[in-house]
Amino acid sequence: MLRRQARERREYLQCRAQEERLRRQQDKKEQLRQALDENRLLPTELRRQALALQKELEFEMPGESSVTGSQDDEYRWAGLEPPKVMVTTSRDPSARLRVFAKELCLVIPGARRLNRGRAEVGTLVSACRAAGVTDLLVLHETRGRPDGLVLCHLPHGPTAHFTLSGAVLRHEVGGLGGAPLGAPHILLHRLDSALGRRVGTILKHLFPVPRPQTHRVVTFANEDDVILVRNHIYRRQGKTVELEEVGPRFQLRPYLIRLGTLEQGDAADVEWRWHPYTATASKRHLLSVT
């Protein structure tokens, strides 16, 4: 089992490295194509390779690219089978965090809650991998307030770290009926940048494919690089549609994505990290184009 996991991980890393080389080559071709079309000087770093790149461009159409996303190879077969999600907490969770973990299992169809106990992170990941779990969610808290979410996709990653804030439980939303358990439709609003699409891919594959007649909607709406998570049901009344929030509600802000599983820690490669203390940090939109 360990040898197979090591071999699969090695093949994944080799595929990702090959894709990165192809992407860099494709970027150079696009820069050369734009420079030739606009009749301007070639970039300095392309002048030695310009003739070789131009010969390759003769056999390619504009906008054509053969680079596939190996970083999303873990999600290539998503949708063929429903995901198997496990939700757990940090050690010695408070009553509020336990309730929030239970309600998060209501949002994600088929998710199951696991009592952490004294289990180490490596033991948790190994047990989930052996049980065929596709995603492991770990909730963290500070003084009884949920403030962190780690989403680890198995068996090879990625692992996304989120800051969680504004958690409101179902009974605090008010006016609620029974919790709908069907697979919801997923709305990804303003997650249109490269990072936004990556985060959207990680989040949406927690949910199975819904039936067309389902009346539940889970929304991930980006607002100033903060993802608002809302759970609604809707009813048609003639030509109008009534929308009712069933909770829970919370907000997510990504700050780290690693190309590995949770137990690897700092040994895994960093795909993206949030850098707030830079001169242009307050001016940038990370999850959306505008």
Side-chain angles (χ1 to χ4, degrees):
M1 179 67 70
L2 294 178
R3 290 182 178 179
R4 187 182 68 179
Q5 292 177 3
R7 175 177 53 80
E8 291 176 351
R9 178 64 182 170
R10 205 162 46 242
E11 292 174 354
Y12 174 72
L13 292 176
Q14 290 175 355
C15 182
R16 187 170 57 84
Q18 177 67 15
E19 179 214 348
E20 190 64 28
R21 287 193 293 269
L22 292 176
R23 180 176 286 112
R24 287 197 298 265
Q25 189 76 357
Q26 190 67 29
D27 291 342
K28 292 179 181 179
K29 292 179 184 178
E30 291 298 326
Q31 293 180 13
L32 178 62
R33 191 196 307 275
Q34 293 178 3
L36 294 176
D37 292 343
E38 298 173 5
N39 196 19
R40 54 184 175 84
L41 290 177
L42 297 178
T44 306
E45 63 273 11
L46 297 182
R47 293 178 182 176
R48 293 185 177 180
Q49 310 175 23
L51 293 178
L53 292 175
Q54 188 176 12
K55 291 181 179 179
E56 296 182 10
L57 281 176
E58 294 177 356
F59 302 97
E60 294 184 5
M61 298 295 293
E64 180 184 357
S65 176
S66 59
V67 182
T68 58
S70 68
Q71 290 182 358
D72 289 336
D73 276 353
E74 293 291 335
Y75 303 102
R76 176 176 296 177
W77 309 111
L80 298 180
E81 294 183 0
K84 190 174 182 180
V85 182
M86 190 69 68
V87 179
T88 188
T89 62
S90 55
R91 292 178 178 175
D92 194 17
S94 64
R96 185 176 180 83
L97 187 64
R98 287 197 295 267
V99 173
F100 183 72
K102 290 180 181 179
E103 296 188 355
L104 191 61
C105 292
L106 297 177
V107 176
I108 304 173
R112 305 194 59 183
R113 188 173 66 90
L114 174 67
N115 290 326
R116 173 73 177 272
R118 296 179 178 274
E120 298 284 345
V121 173
T123 305
L124 273 177
V125 175
S126 299
C128 291
R129 188 182 283 117
V133 173
T134 60
D135 294 275
L136 173 64
L137 275 68
V138 183
L139 296 170
H140 297 276
E141 65 178 346
T142 300
R143 297 180 180 179
R145 180 175 57 87
D147 64 349
L149 171 65
V150 181
L151 197 165
C152 177
H153 185 71
L154 299 175
H156 303 305
T159 300
H161 298 251
F162 298 89
T163 298
L164 191 150
S165 61
V168 180
L169 303 180
R170 295 187 71 249
H171 71 274
E172 296 172 347
V173 174
L176 300 177
L181 300 179
H185 296 293
I186 305 300
L187 295 181
L188 302 176
H189 180 61
R190 293 191 63 194
L191 294 173
D192 47 8
S193 67
L195 176 62
R197 290 191 297 270
R198 176 65 163 162
V199 173
T201 300
I202 294 173
L203 291 175
K204 73 180 181 182
H205 285 110
L206 293 173
F207 300 85
V209 178
R211 296 183 177 179
Q213 63 271 21
T214 186
H215 292 279
R216 189 159 76 99
V217 179
V218 173
T219 305
F220 297 96
N222 171 35
E223 184 176 329
D224 292 333
D225 288 340
V226 176
I227 303 174
L228 310 179
V229 184
R230 300 293 184 265
N231 184 21
H232 293 87
I233 58 174
Y234 66 91
R235 303 182 183 88
R236 296 185 182 275
Q237 300 290 340
K239 295 184 178 179
T240 62
V241 176
E242 293 183 358
L243 197 64
E244 179 185 2
E245 185 177 0
V246 295
R249 74 170 74 136
F250 53 95
Q251 303 171 7
L252 296 175
R253 183 161 193 167
Y255 65 89
L256 179 64
I257 300 177
R258 291 187 182 274
L259 292 174
T261 49
L262 185 58
E263 85 281 5
Q264 294 178 357
D266 295 336
D269 295 336
V270 175
E271 178 183 349
W272 173 82
R273 188 192 301 272
W274 183 43
H275 296 281
Y277 302 109
T278 56
T280 59
S282 59
K283 304 176 184 178
R284 291 179 296 170
H285 294 277
L286 300 175
L287 299 179
S288 62
V289 177
T290 57

